[in-house]
Amino acid sequence: MELAYIPSPSRGVLYLGPVPLRGYAFCIIIGVFVAIWLGNRRWVARGGRPGTVADVAVWAVPFGLVGGRLYHVITDYQLYFGEGRDWVDAFKVWEGGLGIWGAIAFGAVGAWIGARQRGIPLPAYADAVAPGIALAQAIGRWGNWFNQELYGRETDLPWAVHITSSLDGRVPGYYHPTFLYESLWCIGVALLVIWADRRFTLGHGRAFALYVAAYCVGRFWIEYMRVDEAHHVLGLRLNNWTALAVFLLAVLYLVLSARKRPGREAVVEPGATDGTGADGKAKDGADSDAASPAGSGEADGDSSATAEDEAETADASAGGATEASKAAADPTEAKGR
């Protein structure tokens, strides 16, 4: 008799009338919002405009979902095109099955399109959103818990997950909760990237490369524990080889980028001078005045008034020309109207 374990939900979907509310989808959606929220804070802190991260995410997220699904379907094609399978199930994303490798690759393509439209460098954007992506993965992994999938070998540890479903060849029992292991690992990756970014002033895509490399380290050993059906190459699961290859590419990028372009970008979003700083408060001094022409007139009301009086005295006999002189002498007042 097990004294402690992680129970699995009796079902992964609830119905609000005819509308299905799926736990897997909720985890993905919450993860996306967290990634955008944190990415926006980091982007603004680097000198970008608020809202830019969300604008680029409009491209990156759909591309990422399509890429993640394509990778899963291609690498596990037997689940959808094998004997007795229905290929229509390949489109049922809500039932689970998103490959992070395809999601990141296609998401990067979408982010590149969005970044080009906003005129911002993609590496700087990637650095800003990297920790948020890791947190989104940490949240999204709990969708596997709702679906009772992606667990590891059998175990009697007190944090074993209790699988009760027998669908798709599952055997009820107690298994390593690899979804939990990866979720915790991703939280650690996010904290590592935030710390390293502050400590070493990472730029030009190196914070993102660090996230990729650190994630691959954890994914390699977690993948090795899983027992769900997968393709094997030379005794290792396909995702193990993918993690190893991506890790080496990320490390190579870190080294070469640090040599070629040390430091961080001075400007991440050209023209992002809207009169607010990284904390969202109005800037003081000459910078604020330069950003807002109206501000100089309001800040120097006495000078404007004096200029107006002089204009009235000089053109007292001009009648209607007096009003034009006032408008020219006080542009702030003219704009206010």
Side-chain angles (χ1 to χ4, degrees):
M1 177 179 178
E2 296 292 338
L3 298 179
Y5 58 86
I6 301 174
S8 290
S10 57
R11 54 181 177 172
V13 57
L14 297 175
Y15 287 89
L16 185 62
V19 180
L21 305 177
R22 301 182 183 276
Y24 186 89
F26 267 114
C27 291
I28 298 297
I29 293 171
I30 294 172
V32 169
F33 274 102
V34 169
I36 293 175
W37 168 79
L38 181 58
N40 181 72
R41 287 178 60 89
R42 287 171 53 80
W43 183 253
V44 172
R46 290 192 174 209
R49 288 191 179 96
T52 295
V53 168
D55 290 343
V56 177
V58 169
W59 288 93
V61 173
F63 270 72
L65 291 175
V66 171
R69 189 60 175 178
L70 278 176
Y71 181 90
H72 169 72
V73 172
I74 291 173
T75 56
D76 291 304
Y77 60 87
Q78 72 282 355
L79 299 178
Y80 307 99
F81 304 102
E83 185 178 354
R85 300 287 183 170
D86 186 357
W87 64 271
V88 176
D89 292 340
F91 296 95
K92 298 179 180 179
V93 180
W94 55 88
E95 293 184 355
L98 291 174
I100 185 61
W101 315 112
I104 294 297
F106 274 63
V109 174
W112 176 77
I113 295 174
R116 290 263 299 181
Q117 289 190 339
R118 294 300 298 257
I120 62 176
L122 179 60
Y125 179 86
D127 284 341
V129 300
I133 294 176
L135 290 180
Q137 289 177 249
I139 297 170
R141 272 307 176 199
W142 283 89
N144 302 131
W145 174 69
F146 280 102
N147 287 349
Q148 296 197 37
E149 59 186 1
L150 304 189
Y151 45 86
R153 305 184 187 97
E154 286 190 282
T155 181
D156 58 358
L157 291 171
W159 56 82
V161 62
H162 186 199
I163 299 299
T164 59
S165 174
S166 58
L167 295 175
D168 296 327
R170 296 185 183 94
V171 178
Y174 300 88
Y175 300 89
H176 277 285
T178 51
F179 74 89
L180 175 61
Y181 298 161
E182 186 168 337
S183 180
L184 295 175
W185 183 268
C186 287
I187 293 174
V189 170
L191 295 176
L192 171 65
V193 173
I194 292 173
W195 170 82
D197 194 24
R198 293 176 178 176
R199 176 65 177 81
F200 302 105
T201 316
L202 302 177
H204 303 287
R206 289 188 287 277
F208 185 82
L210 176 61
Y211 144 71
V212 172
Y215 171 74
C216 287
V217 172
R219 180 61 183 266
F220 186 89
W221 68 267
I222 293 170
E223 188 74 24
Y224 191 74
M225 297 178 63
R226 283 168 47 173
V227 295
D228 53 298
E229 185 178 358
H231 296 288
H232 287 72
V233 179
L234 299 178
L236 290 178
R237 293 164 66 97
L238 177 60
N239 281 331
N240 281 116
W241 289 108
T242 304
L244 180 59
V246 174
F247 169 80
L248 293 176
L249 290 174
V251 172
L252 181 63
Y253 180 88
L254 274 170
V255 174
L256 296 180
S257 176
R259 291 179 179 177
K260 185 177 179 180
R261 308 184 70 182
R264 179 184 289 175
E265 300 90 343
V267 177
V268 297
E269 188 166 6
T273 53
D274 56 354
T276 60
D279 58 359
K281 297 181 180 179
K283 296 180 181 178
D284 297 326
D287 291 342
S288 178
D289 294 342
S292 176
S296 61
E298 293 173 357
D300 193 10
D302 293 338
S303 298
S304 298
T306 301
E308 185 177 348
D309 291 340
E310 291 176 354
E312 289 180 357
T313 302
D315 297 319
S317 61
T322 303
E323 295 300 322
S325 176
K326 290 181 182 181
D330 191 355
T332 303
E333 182 180 345
K335 290 183 180 181
R337 294 173 183 173

